[in-house]
Amino acid sequence: MQPKLNRLLRALAREGLEVTYDGRLYSVRLLGDANAPPAEVLLPPDLPVEGKAFQQLAHLAALKHPGGGEVLRVRATPDFHPGDSGVAIGSVLHTRGLVVPGAVGTDINCGMRLHVADLSVEDFLSRRDDFVERMKGHYFFGTRDVAMSSRASTALLRDGLPGWLLETLDTPLGCARGADLAQLDAEVDRVHLGGALHGNPSWAPDALTREGVVRDAGLATIGGGNHFVEVQRVEAVEDRARAWAWGVREGQLAFMIHSGSRDVGKHVGVAWRERTRKAWPQGAPFPESGILPLADEALVAGYLEAEATAANYAFLNRLLLAELLRQTLRELFGDVEAPLVYDVPHNLTLPYEGGWLARKGACPAGDGQPVIIPGSMGATSFLMVGCGDARSLESASHGAGRARSRFSMSRGGADHSEAALGLSGVDCISLRAERRVEEAPAAYKPIRPVVDSQVEAGIVREVARLAPLLTFKA
């Protein structure tokens, strides 16, 4: 290990990085920038190191604004890998007097949602084909009926799930007519932050606030990339008392949803990328990384309000993806309760210790909080409980993390056999053959070392493991 590590550290030094490693935690900063806090990366020695991701973390830690403010700490989870926008996926950024829109990106409130159902796997698989055809209609072919009044849409963007529910209880439209609205109302308590942030509809696309019935094409859609809906089996329970309290039992059916704010997040993220650039002090050089912070209080407040607006939309997107699946189970199997275990966001900026904490591809892991860490579609996923670890900025990984880029997976000449891709025995439903290749298990790091390193570091503890049955990829 030592000769290999020394070669790695020398290579990173040639790229302008000062890096140390204690066998568990990397410390990274730009060479010659002693004033910047070192970025810390929890990474087991057997997982790959990517110089580009280290560069992105070091530049994030070195961010400054001519108007003041400071970066206090930067941390990365063990699933970290380079981000297309210049910020590594798995980054956690603690600032004071600064907010960094790029540290969240355009997939605002991408997150996870987990339900369980007292339905046997055997019964479910007996109707697998019927289930898949109905869900393909909902998720891929647009047969879903997702509608709401303009009042409900405005209330959602402003007040989150409670606002949407309040208006929808009076005038349910579309698939909400078939929902158990009392159950949805009770489940809000199992959504992080109650599914409610202080938004403002003026930051959303105009189509969401027009008078009349709103039928938004992005609602109840999975999205591309690593987003998915997966049906699973609760394979094993490790913390029986906590699992019991959360309604989780071995042998149950489960379904996990990974999606975000879709075009609303992109609308907000792109708009604020331009606003942030225009607000940069005239004559001041731009940061080498291209990542620009905001320091002006009014601009910070405006951005956070816009981010919250997109986040509220994402909470409803995941709720409706789950509700369409839950209603389909009821159509096929009768009275299936399928309660929510938890809904948790990844990409958000939230208050933290007198400043701001921005997560990009990282999961909140406060003390006692459910943490959902999915594996690839061929691997086990994990339901964990957070330990509130301060050194990790109360943050855990949001998955296994990519080991190979989408380009690498899909390039000509690569071995695209089922065995090489890790797809043997994997039930993946997608209309795009390239999606199965780009998101194949072989594209991802092994999930177990990622999870174990966080358990050993006191970040999370294991509650239950979930095995995949079938996965929808858009």
Side-chain angles (χ1 to χ4, degrees):
M1 173 64 187
Q2 194 61 41
K4 182 180 178 181
L5 175 61
N6 289 337
R7 287 195 300 272
L8 169 66
L9 297 183
R10 286 195 296 270
L12 292 173
R14 288 194 294 271
E15 295 181 23
L17 298 177
E18 177 186 324
V19 183
T20 60
Y21 185 55
D22 64 6
R24 187 177 65 91
L25 200 69
Y26 283 92
S27 177
V28 186
R29 61 159 46 111
L30 297 177
L31 276 173
D33 193 354
N35 294 323
E40 295 180 332
V41 186
L42 178 67
L43 198 67
D46 52 341
L47 289 184
V49 171
E50 297 185 75
K52 183 178 179 181
F54 275 2
Q55 285 276 5
Q56 291 178 344
L57 286 170
H59 279 288
L60 192 62
L63 271 186
K64 296 177 178 62
H65 193 287
E70 60 182 331
V71 173
L72 299 174
R73 287 188 60 204
V74 174
R75 178 86 176 202
T77 56
D79 61 335
F80 93 116
H81 54 279
D84 294 338
S85 64
V87 176
I89 310 304
S91 299
V92 186
L93 173 68
H94 185 202
T95 60
R96 183 188 296 123
L98 289 178
V99 163
V100 186
V104 168
T106 58
D107 195 9
I108 295 166
N109 190 8
C110 164
M112 304 294 305
R113 188 177 178 95
L114 175 66
H115 289 250
V116 290
D118 290 323
L119 180 66
S120 75
V121 171
E122 292 74 18
D123 285 346
F124 170 75
L125 291 178
S126 72
R127 303 294 303 274
R128 180 258 180 213
D129 291 350
D130 291 338
F131 172 81
V132 166
E133 287 308 307
R134 294 183 192 212
M135 296 314 300
K136 282 168 66 176
H138 290 322
Y139 291 162
F140 302 153
F141 298 135
T143 61
R144 65 188 180 279
D145 184 9
V146 175
M148 55 184 161
S149 68
S150 58
R151 287 174 59 93
S153 181
T154 298
L156 165 72
L157 298 167
R158 184 185 62 236
D159 304 318
L161 293 182
W164 177 81
L165 277 164
L166 191 64
E167 295 295 337
T168 301
L169 286 167
D170 287 340
T171 54
L173 299 174
C175 65
R177 290 197 187 103
D180 183 341
L181 294 175
Q183 181 182 26
L184 290 178
D185 188 37
E187 288 175 345
V188 165
D189 289 340
R190 298 185 182 187
V191 179
H192 197 65
L193 305 172
L197 294 170
H198 297 296
N200 187 323
S202 66
W203 295 115
D206 291 341
L208 287 170
T209 55
R210 289 178 185 148
E211 286 297 318
V213 175
V214 174
R215 293 185 180 275
D216 179 67
L219 269 177
T221 59
I222 299 170
N226 63 346
H227 296 151
F228 64 84
V229 172
E230 185 168 272
V231 181
Q232 305 165 328
R233 175 183 180 271
V234 180
E235 182 179 54
V237 170
E238 295 296 329
D239 184 340
R240 294 191 176 277
R242 196 173 298 274
W244 181 268
W246 291 353
V248 178
R249 316 281 186 271
E250 194 170 309
Q252 283 176 317
L253 199 74
F255 49 99
M256 185 179 285
I257 288 149
H258 181 201
S259 190
S261 51
R262 308 292 286 115
D263 286 346
V264 179
K266 185 175 181 180
H267 175 86
V268 168
V270 169
W272 274 92
R273 186 166 59 207
E274 294 306 310
R275 281 174 176 263
T276 304
R277 190 169 186 84
K278 288 178 181 177
W280 191 255
Q282 194 169 6
F286 287 107
E288 182 184 339
S289 65
I291 303 300
L292 303 179
L294 290 167
D296 178 82
E297 287 187 11
L299 287 171
V300 166
Y303 169 72
L304 293 173
E305 186 180 68
E307 184 186 286
T309 305
N312 287 337
Y313 178 96
F315 282 127
L316 182 62
N317 185 43
R318 287 195 294 275
L319 181 152
L320 291 174
L321 282 164
E323 191 57 28
L324 289 170
L325 196 156
R326 182 157 55 182
Q327 289 184 22
T328 300
L329 290 179
R330 289 170 179 165
E331 291 167 7
L332 294 173
F333 300 102
D335 187 16
V336 178
E337 184 181 1
L340 173 65
V341 177
Y342 204 62
D343 183 305
V344 61
H346 298 152
N347 301 352
L348 277 181
T349 307
L350 297 171
Y352 186 77
E353 294 187 352
W356 300 101
L357 195 69
R359 296 183 177 95
K360 185 177 179 68
C363 182
D367 188 26
Q369 179 201 312
V371 175
I372 301 166
I373 305 180
S376 71
M377 58 183 166
T380 300
S381 293
F382 290 81
L383 175 62
M384 315 292 285
V385 61
C387 301
D389 177 58
R391 184 165 187 183
S392 68
L393 295 173
E394 300 186 27
S395 300
S397 70
H398 82 317
R402 292 196 76 91
R404 295 173 59 187
S405 70
R406 291 182 176 89
F407 173 77
S408 169
M409 293 297 295
S410 59
R411 65 181 171 81
D415 187 348
H416 289 164
S417 66
E418 295 282 292
L421 293 171
L423 285 169
S424 300
V426 174
D427 192 356
C428 174
I429 297 99
S430 179
L431 301 184
R432 299 175 60 186
E434 68 271 21
R435 185 72 73 214
R436 295 181 80 249
V437 173
E438 293 168 354
E439 294 297 311
Y444 287 86
K445 300 172 187 175
I447 185 67
R448 182 45 98 172
V450 170
V451 168
D452 286 349
S453 65
Q454 295 173 94
V455 172
E456 291 164 9
I459 297 169
V460 290
R461 296 190 303 275
E462 187 175 329
V463 176
R465 298 190 297 277
L466 304 105
L469 296 175
L470 59 86
T471 309
F472 293 93
K473 286 277 190 180

